[in-house]
Amino acid sequence: MELTTVWFGLIAVLWAGYFLLEGFDFGVGILLPVLGRDDRERRLVINTIGPVWDGNEVWLLVAGGATFAAFPEWYATLFSGFYLPLLIILVALILRGVAFEYRGKRDDATWKRRWDLCIIGGSLVPALLWGVAFGNIVRGVRLDADHEYVGGFFDLLNPYALLGGLTTLTLFTLHGAVFLALKTDGDMRRRAGELAARLAVPVIAVAGAFLLWTAIAHHDVAGWILSAAAALALVGGALATRVRREGWAFLATGATIVLAVFALFVTLFPNVMPSTIADANSLTTTNAASTAYTLKVMTWVAVAFTPIVLAYQGWTYWVFRKRLTVEHIPAAPVPVSPAPAGAAERATP
């Protein structure tokens, strides 16, 4: 097997890992105002992903870095043609990260409400736009003979890509609801499980329509099989939510995300960015790849460091595996005004 094919597969794995892990982060953020009825409950919702959200984003950095190193032509065309939507995603992720850090800095309702809006928007916008972006990659975009994107921003907002965005948005929201039911206990667990059960039906309809459209448009046998497996996993997750088996439900929604990503990449191969102008203008794993020596060095680096990263992240999830309840969240501390300068000296006998 050629190294270009190997790295195409590895990039698919990285994106699948990112959507699997960051997907429930996005879902939790989107559901913050739905399941967080007061400040203490909203802090509980945020704390379920507090120890892991930034580690989950590492998958995005590695996926982007691997694409840049293994397929620089793909990276250049993608980030120049999709500049505006990717910039919006980046700003949303930055605002969300800042909101996690700054929300608790002041015990003020208005302050917290504004940062909560950043968490919600910083979760909802990427959840939508990632689906739009990948929908366009699989569908194909207007690339000229120099592999430059010659379309406009509104060309990216076609029906197929928008359905892809709605698919990731709804699927990640369901994934987040299932995660909250798995990670909490008591009333929050019950309400998150009930919400996941209600969300399952529309998610099946939207995701099923997108996967069916993809399979019909590309006539790829492997894509059909993976899409069918993803649909079955999603149905299994819906059934698991109804009988309150949160662990199985989370495995099922996670499997749905991974299988759907693999279905898109299998459908895309050997292209990495098809051209809707002419097939000869398409970027492939061959004409977009780095040199054989670069790919060989990257392979050895990946073999050496990937197990370390996976072990560390697995250990993090194991340490923070216990369920949380509102009782674990202390009441918000009352800010104490600093004592006047010299007060300590005057109080000393």
Side-chain angles (χ1 to χ4, degrees), residues 12 77 82 96 106 120-121 128 138 156 206-207 209 212-213 224 232 238 273 276 284 288 299 301 325 336:
T77 301
F82 292 16
R96 188 183 66 138
R106 290 173 57 184
I120 298 164
L128 174 67
V138 175
L156 302 177
V206 173
L212 183 61
W213 189 343
W224 269 101
L232 289 174
M273 186 170 283
T276 57
T284 68
T299 302
V301 171
T325 65
V336 179

Side-chain angles (χ1 to χ4, degrees), residues 19 35 76 91 93 114 223 255 262 280:
F19 288 142
L35 293 174
V91 171
L93 292 176
R114 289 171 178 170
F262 287 167

